[in-house]
Amino acid sequence: AYIDEAYNGSSGPASARSAELDAAPAAPGGERERAPARSRPPSALPNGGRVTLVGAGPGSPDLLTVAAHRIITDPDNLLIVDRLVSDEILGLIGGEYKVANKNPGCQGAAQKEIYEWCLEGLREGRHVVRLKIGDPFVFGRGGEEVLEFRDFGVEPAVIPGVSAAFSAPLLGSIPVTHRGVSNQVVMCTGYGRDNTSPDLIQYQKEQTVVFLMAVGRLRTLCDNLHRKANFPVDTPVAIVERAGCPDQRTVVGTMESIADIAEANNVRPPSTIVVGEVVNVLLTEDDFAREVDSATQEGLIRTDA
């Protein structure tokens, strides 16, 4: 639809797709409902413009895939970057890049700006690299962006990333499964459509729940898990902040105490929340930055290890 303007209104896949979208009803929350596409658009525009969606992993450059490292260090590429991509990874970028301002309350405007930047690059015949934290398709709007790029008339390539859902707990010495402790893992987001709270799965003792993008509403989340999903107040909870980065921190508490502990330690995104008995499988008293009661291991994990 948008790319037609760059090609003087020429008809083609984007024009046909635009007509379908214009006729489609609005979904709840004001988003467009897309009719199923008849076919995929080409991987590049006539002027050579193309898009690649890339996962940046949890934050450490060492956890980039080889393919991701190769594409972000190419000086000819234009990178459109999520706000939470780490400074360490930004330092590897070889060419021009722009960072989206996806602060709380600004996500809609920021996403629109991202699409405008991508469109501008495509019109210039650039290789646009959409760099997203973690894996693009794990609560990262990756699928939505693929559909939007198809509306532009181009099929994006995709390079998966290491998701924080599994790597962040590992980097914080927390196994998401452990024989006799947890035999299932559930991944959740802290924010549903229009910033609503998503439905919560009911408590099961041998279960690990990993929350992404939820630290901003941690207190409400814990309250809902206890009152609506029957999680005991003494359920262990850990938060791994900036996983894999030099300033990685982990805080540990219970469903009842973790919000206060996180507030006292000024925990901020990007952070991954882990809920379940696995939190205490590998951690010892020596891991904590100050003396704790071994029966209620809580507090800030040592950061100088």
Side-chain angles (χ1 to χ4, degrees):
Y2 302 108
I3 214 70
D4 288 347
E5 298 174 14
Y7 293 102
N8 302 315
S10 60
S11 61
S15 298
R17 187 76 176 127
S18 177
E20 293 172 359
L21 289 167
D22 290 342
E31 296 182 16
R32 297 177 301 177
E33 285 189 356
R34 290 173 163 85
R38 297 188 183 92
S39 61
R40 295 172 187 251
S43 59
L45 297 172
N47 67 354
R50 57 194 175 105
V51 179
T52 302
L53 271 172
V54 179
S60 170
D62 290 339
L63 296 178
L64 287 168
T65 64
V66 173
H69 185 276
R70 182 186 305 117
I71 203 168
I72 71 173
T73 56
D74 187 330
D76 294 329
N77 294 337
L78 168 64
L79 274 74
I80 310 300
V81 184
D82 276 354
R83 177 179 66 90
L84 293 178
V85 171
S86 70
D87 291 339
E88 291 77 16
I89 289 177
L90 292 180
L92 297 177
I93 295 176
E96 179 185 359
Y97 71 90
K98 300 179 180 180
V99 179
N101 178 31
K102 277 195 176 182
N103 288 305
C106 302
Q107 296 94 328
Q111 194 66 39
K112 181 178 179 181
E113 185 176 49
I114 285 168
Y115 290 142
E116 290 173 349
W117 286 341
C118 291
L119 177 59
E120 181 180 334
L122 287 170
R123 286 172 169 166
E124 294 172 355
R126 306 281 300 275
H127 182 184
V128 177
V129 177
R130 180 69 180 95
L131 187 63
K132 304 176 72 64
I133 191 171
D135 182 272
F137 287 177
V138 181
F139 301 124
R141 290 184 184 246
E144 295 174 34
E145 294 195 9
V146 168
L147 293 174
E148 194 72 20
F149 293 137
R150 286 178 178 177
D151 291 347
F152 292 172
V154 62
E155 180 73 16
V158 178
I159 296 177
V162 176
S163 174
F166 297 116
S167 60
L170 177 89
L171 292 165
S173 296
I174 300 170
V176 292
T177 64
H178 189 81
R179 191 186 302 271
V181 178
S182 175
N183 56 27
Q184 56 183 289
V185 184
V186 179
M187 286 191 299
C188 300
T189 176
Y191 293 85
R193 175 177 277 180
D194 298 329
N195 287 334
T196 58
S197 294
D199 293 336
L200 299 171
I201 191 167
Q202 291 295 303
Y203 173 75
Q204 296 183 47
K205 185 174 179 61
E206 292 194 7
Q207 171 183 270
T208 304
V209 187
V210 180
F211 288 93
L212 302 179
M213 303 181 300
V215 74
R217 55 172 50 166
L218 178 61
R219 195 175 296 277
T220 299
L221 174 64
C222 290
D223 183 59
N224 287 339
L225 284 169
H226 174 57
R227 291 190 304 104
K228 298 180 180 180
N230 300 308
F231 280 69
V233 293
D234 61 352
T235 303
V237 182
I239 306 172
V240 184
E241 178 189 46
R242 290 181 55 79
C245 295
D247 55 349
Q248 172 183 317
R249 297 190 302 170
T250 303
V251 294
V252 176
T254 64
M255 189 70 61
E256 187 174 40
S257 65
I258 191 64
D260 289 335
I261 296 170
E263 184 175 312
N265 288 283
N266 197 33
V267 174
R268 292 287 181 265
S271 293
T272 302
I273 302 170
V274 187
V275 179
E277 300 297 327
V278 292
V279 167
N280 290 330
V281 167
L282 299 182
L283 296 176
T284 69
E285 289 185 52
D286 291 340
D287 291 314
F288 289 80
R290 54 182 171 269
E291 185 177 349
V292 296
D293 181 345
S294 60
T296 60
Q297 293 184 157
E298 296 182 355
L300 177 67
I301 297 298
R302 192 181 304 278
T303 57
D304 58 357

CSV table of all heavy atoms in Angstrom, one decimal, residues 5 37 48 83-84 105 110 117 119 157 187 217 250 270 274 301:
chain,number,residue,atom,x,y,z
A,5,GLU,N,3.2,4.5,-3.5
A,5,GLU,CA,3.5,5.9,-3.6
A,5,GLU,C,4.9,6.1,-4.2
A,5,GLU,O,5.2,7.1,-5.0
A,5,GLU,CB,3.4,6.6,-2.3
A,5,GLU,CG,2.0,6.6,-1.7
A,5,GLU,CD,2.0,7.2,-0.3
A,5,GLU,OE1,3.0,7.9,0.0
A,5,GLU,OE2,1.0,7.0,0.4
A,37,ALA,N,-3.6,-13.5,2.8
A,37,ALA,CA,-2.9,-13.1,1.6
A,37,ALA,C,-3.0,-14.3,0.6
A,37,ALA,O,-2.9,-15.5,0.9
A,37,ALA,CB,-1.5,-12.8,1.9
A,48,GLY,N,15.8,-2.8,-5.5
A,48,GLY,CA,16.7,-3.5,-4.7
A,48,GLY,C,16.4,-3.5,-3.2
A,48,GLY,O,17.1,-4.2,-2.4
A,83,ARG,N,14.5,-0.1,21.3
A,83,ARG,CA,15.1,0.7,22.3
A,83,ARG,C,15.9,-0.2,23.3
A,83,ARG,O,16.9,0.3,23.9
A,83,ARG,CB,14.0,1.4,23.1
A,83,ARG,CG,14.5,2.2,24.3
A,83,ARG,CD,13.3,3.0,25.0
A,83,ARG,NE,12.4,2.1,25.6
A,83,ARG,CZ,12.4,1.6,26.8
A,83,ARG,NH1,13.5,2.0,27.6
A,83,ARG,NH2,11.5,0.8,27.3
A,84,LEU,N,15.4,-1.4,23.6
A,84,LEU,CA,16.1,-2.2,24.6
A,84,LEU,C,17.3,-3.0,24.1
A,84,LEU,O,17.9,-3.8,24.9
A,84,LEU,CB,15.0,-3.1,25.3
A,84,LEU,CG,14.0,-2.4,26.1
A,84,LEU,CD1,13.0,-3.4,26.6
A,84,LEU,CD2,14.6,-1.6,27.2
A,105,GLY,N,3.8,3.7,27.1
A,105,GLY,CA,2.8,4.7,26.6
A,105,GLY,C,3.1,5.2,25.3
A,105,GLY,O,2.2,6.0,24.7
A,110,ALA,N,5.7,4.9,18.4
A,110,ALA,CA,7.0,4.3,18.1
A,110,ALA,C,7.0,3.3,17.0
A,110,ALA,O,7.8,3.3,16.0
A,110,ALA,CB,7.7,3.8,19.3
A,117,TRP,N,10.4,4.7,9.0
A,117,TRP,CA,11.8,4.6,8.7
A,117,TRP,C,12.1,3.4,7.8
A,117,TRP,O,13.0,3.6,6.9
A,117,TRP,CB,12.6,4.3,10.0
A,117,TRP,CG,12.7,5.5,10.9
A,117,TRP,CD1,12.5,6.9,10.6
A,117,TRP,CD2,13.0,5.5,12.3
A,117,TRP,NE1,12.7,7.7,11.7
A,117,TRP,CE2,13.0,6.9,12.8
A,117,TRP,CE3,13.2,4.5,13.3
A,117,TRP,CZ2,13.2,7.3,14.1
A,117,TRP,CZ3,13.5,4.9,14.6
A,117,TRP,CH2,13.5,6.2,15.0
A,119,LEU,N,10.1,2.1,5.6
A,119,LEU,CA,9.6,2.5,4.2
A,119,LEU,C,10.5,3.4,3.5
A,119,LEU,O,10.8,3.3,2.4
A,119,LEU,CB,8.2,3.1,4.4
A,119,LEU,CG,7.6,3.6,3.1
A,119,LEU,CD1,7.4,2.5,2.1
A,119,LEU,CD2,6.2,4.3,3.4
A,157,ALA,N,13.2,-11.4,5.0
A,157,ALA,CA,13.9,-12.5,5.5
A,157,ALA,C,13.9,-12.5,7.1
A,157,ALA,O,13.7,-11.4,7.6
A,157,ALA,CB,15.4,-12.5,5.0
A,187,MET,N,5.5,-19.8,28.9
A,187,MET,CA,6.0,-18.4,28.6
A,187,MET,C,4.8,-17.5,28.5
A,187,MET,O,3.8,-17.8,27.8
A,187,MET,CB,6.7,-18.4,27.2
A,187,MET,CG,8.1,-19.0,27.3
A,187,MET,SD,9.0,-18.7,25.8
A,187,MET,CE,7.9,-19.4,24.5
A,217,ARG,N,4.9,-4.0,35.7
A,217,ARG,CA,3.7,-4.2,36.4
A,217,ARG,C,3.8,-5.4,37.4
A,217,ARG,O,2.9,-6.2,37.5
A,217,ARG,CB,2.5,-4.4,35.5
A,217,ARG,CG,2.6,-5.5,34.5
A,217,ARG,CD,1.3,-5.7,33.7
A,217,ARG,NE,0.7,-4.4,33.2
A,217,ARG,CZ,-0.3,-4.4,32.3
A,217,ARG,NH1,-0.8,-5.5,31.8
A,217,ARG,NH2,-0.8,-3.2,31.9
A,250,THR,N,20.5,-10.2,39.3
A,250,THR,CA,19.4,-11.1,39.6
A,250,THR,C,18.9,-10.8,41.0
A,250,THR,O,19.7,-10.7,41.9
A,250,THR,CB,19.8,-12.6,39.5
A,250,THR,OG1,20.4,-12.9,38.2
A,250,THR,CG2,18.6,-13.5,39.7
A,270,PRO,N,15.5,-4.2,30.3
A,270,PRO,CA,14.9,-5.5,30.0
A,270,PRO,C,15.1,-6.5,31.1
A,270,PRO,O,16.3,-6.7,31.5
A,270,PRO,CB,15.6,-6.0,28.7
A,270,PRO,CG,16.9,-5.4,28.7
A,270,PRO,CD,16.7,-4.0,29.4
A,274,VAL,N,11.1,-15.2,36.5
A,274,VAL,CA,10.9,-16.6,36.6
A,274,VAL,C,10.1,-17.0,37.8
A,274,VAL,O,10.5,-16.5,38.9
A,274,VAL,CB,12.3,-17.3,36.6
A,274,VAL,CG1,12.1,-18.9,36.5
A,274,VAL,CG2,13.2,-16.8,35.4
A,301,ILE,N,21.4,-10.9,44.0
A,301,ILE,CA,22.4,-11.9,43.8
A,301,ILE,C,23.7,-11.2,43.5
A,301,ILE,O,23.8,-10.1,43.0
A,301,ILE,CB,22.1,-12.7,42.5
A,301,ILE,CG1,20.8,-13.6,42.8
A,301,ILE,CG2,23.2,-13.7,42.1
A,301,ILE,CD1,20.9,-14.5,43.9
